[in-house]
Amino acid sequence: MAKKRPQTKAARPQLKDGEIPVVGAREPCPCGSGRRYKACHGKAAAEAVTELVQRPFEGLPGECDWVALRELVPAATVALPLKDGLPEGVPAVTLATVLPMAWPALRRDDGSVLLGLQNDTASGDISRDLADTLRRALEAEPGTPVQARRAPADGPRLQDLLDPEGAFEPVVHAGFEFWVPDAENATPEVAASLERANAAAIPTVRLTGVDAAYWCETPDKNHLRWVMPYPEEQLLDALARLHAAGGSSLGEGTRLVGSFRAHGLTVPVWDLPSGVGAQDVEKPAAEFAERLTAALATDAPLTADERRARGGLTNRQVTLS
């Protein structure tokens, strides 16, 4: 009796990594390995999507202001220069803290693009998600919003699309009228969203004498929230030295109360009396910046008082992202 010959399957052509399309997680991987996509090439893609990038805005001009506009500032816009210049038919690209109906982006009727910053993102890399939204907005039909989606794991980041030498100069607004060229003729949905957003906006002012410091007004007291680019441990040591020496305030009645962590940077926060406005802290903030520079340059071990001050600051630290 003749033996049965083992049946062999025709060899599937092997694809290079860059040629493998994205398929369903439980489908066979297109590379021909015989495994499911989620256990083969989809595994690396999933890890890239979920891995948290600690400093998503690192390397961009104005990194500290990016963090402030993402986490602290209600209404602001910034003109964004692109690395390769503006495409034909796109007169301007503008970053906005928030857009109506929480749209990720909007291509206006005149072809200009508004990119929203304070939206939820699908991956651990905000920069990649925003870059994907920006690219789709540049290609969208004028007069249409851009919907959210999961960005490709190998897609570009903002650092790849924006001009690294371009200025980043936020303009803080009292409300969200910048959403529409003619607010009086906005659609009912946009008008309702505009009214709700304006009612919830906390009055905020960006200081002019120092970088990335934002004054805001609340019912009980005012605050100064200042995003700083220094390494966290070094900054906390410096703040502790100043606090122990009585040099951490911004004038009478003000107090350094703690800090936030946000997108890999530290944001010290001061309580201010309700009568202290943004102009009132311009000079004290500039003077504090000089004291901080000197404290940052000191590498001597902390004294007992400075260690206690540092412990207090650390205990009052909150992580935003």
Side-chain angles (χ1 to χ4, degrees):
M1 191 172 184
K3 294 182 179 180
K4 293 183 178 180
R5 293 184 179 181
Q7 294 181 351
T8 58
K9 296 181 180 180
R12 297 183 62 180
Q14 296 295 312
L15 301 177
K16 297 180 181 179
D17 286 351
E19 300 173 341
I20 297 170
V22 176
V23 297
R26 301 179 66 84
E27 295 181 32
C29 187
C31 75
S33 66
R35 292 181 292 172
R36 291 177 176 174
Y37 180 70
K38 69 176 183 179
C40 192
H41 281 84
K43 183 178 180 181
E47 290 175 352
V49 166
T50 58
E51 183 179 359
L52 179 64
V53 176
Q54 296 293 336
R55 289 180 62 179
F57 307 116
E58 184 176 14
L60 291 173
E63 179 188 7
C64 293
D65 282 306
W66 276 94
V67 172
L69 268 55
R70 167 76 182 183
E71 299 294 340
L72 306 174
V73 181
T77 55
V78 188
L80 293 181
L82 303 186
K83 183 179 293 186
D84 297 327
L86 293 171
E88 184 178 356
V90 181
V93 174
T94 302
L95 180 72
T97 48
V98 181
L99 293 180
M101 277 79 80
W103 288 328
L106 171 66
R107 182 86 185 270
R108 283 178 158 166
D109 291 334
D110 66 355
S112 61
V113 167
L114 288 177
L115 176 67
L117 180 59
Q118 294 182 9
N119 296 317
D120 293 334
T121 54
S123 80
D125 187 352
I126 297 170
S127 177
R128 194 179 310 281
D129 291 333
L130 289 171
D132 178 69
T133 301
L134 174 57
R135 291 181 73 188
R136 291 187 291 125
L138 293 171
E139 299 172 354
E141 289 294 325
T144 59
V146 175
Q147 302 302 326
R149 76 168 190 182
R150 173 170 289 185
D154 59 350
R157 307 177 72 238
L158 288 174
Q159 288 82 345
D160 301 316
L161 302 183
L162 302 184
D163 183 355
E165 304 299 327
F168 191 84
E169 300 176 352
V171 177
V172 178
H173 303 275
F176 294 88
E177 282 73 19
F178 64 85
W179 281 352
V180 287
D182 185 4
E184 294 183 357
N185 294 321
T187 65
E189 294 83 0
V190 171
S193 184
L194 180 60
E195 183 177 356
R196 289 193 300 269
N198 282 344
I202 296 174
T204 301
V205 177
R206 182 176 185 261
L207 300 193
T208 60
V210 294
D211 292 333
Y214 290 81
W215 170 94
C216 68
E217 180 183 14
T218 61
D220 297 327
K221 63 184 70 175
N222 299 340
H223 305 280
L224 184 73
R225 300 177 290 188
W226 192 341
V227 187
M228 296 188 172
Y230 314 109
E232 180 180 347
E233 297 302 316
Q234 182 187 9
L235 177 58
L236 289 175
D237 281 353
L239 292 173
R241 295 182 197 279
L242 295 176
H243 198 67
S248 64
S249 76
L250 298 175
E252 184 178 356
T254 70
R255 185 167 68 99
L256 175 64
V257 293
S259 62
F260 300 125
R261 284 194 196 98
H263 305 293
L265 299 182
T266 304
V267 189
V269 179
W270 285 261
D271 279 353
L272 312 172
S274 58
V276 174
Q279 288 297 323
D280 299 322
V281 292
E282 285 280 8
K283 183 178 179 181
E287 294 171 346
F288 175 85
E290 294 180 359
R291 297 196 298 273
L292 180 63
T293 298
L296 287 166
T298 302
D299 57 4
L302 296 179
T303 66
D305 288 343
E306 290 167 349
R307 287 197 301 272
R308 281 192 291 271
R310 193 185 196 283
L313 291 171
T314 303
N315 290 337
R316 297 191 296 274
Q317 194 171 47
V318 176
T319 300
L320 297 181
S321 58

